[in-house]
Amino acid sequence: ATGDRLLVSISGCLCHCARGEAVVGRVGGEESLIAEVTRDDDAEALAERLRLAIASTSWGITASVGVAWRRLN
């Protein structure tokens, strides 16, 4: 179905933008996440790369991307 192809396309964007050690997963419905250890400014740059990558697909969609982190020390 079209929705499945869209999810596969978005998943490809997420995997392409994430670094090798990142965990990419679907939370449910239309929500996905990328979990990785990074600095605050790197996380914000990743969010912007994801937003642009999704917007550049042929689907004509946009995405809301948020950043959350916690200090390890």
Side-chain angles (χ1 to χ4, degrees):
T2 301
D4 293 335
R5 289 193 303 275
L6 173 62
L7 288 173
V8 169
S9 178
I10 299 306
S11 296
C13 289
L14 296 176
C15 291
H16 177 75
C17 290
R19 292 189 282 194
E21 69 274 9
V23 175
V24 178
R26 182 173 171 201
V27 178
E30 301 170 352
E31 298 175 356
S32 299
L33 67 85
I34 295 177
E36 70 178 62
V37 177
T38 188
R39 296 188 327 245
D40 300 351
D41 53 344
D42 290 343
E44 291 174 5
L46 171 60
E48 182 63 7
R49 283 196 314 274
L50 287 170
R51 191 188 66 76
L52 293 173
I54 291 169
S56 71
T57 66
S58 61
W59 293 96
I61 60 172
T62 59
S64 298
V65 181
V67 174
W69 65 86
R70 75 176 181 111
R71 301 211 184 274
L72 296 177
N73 299 358

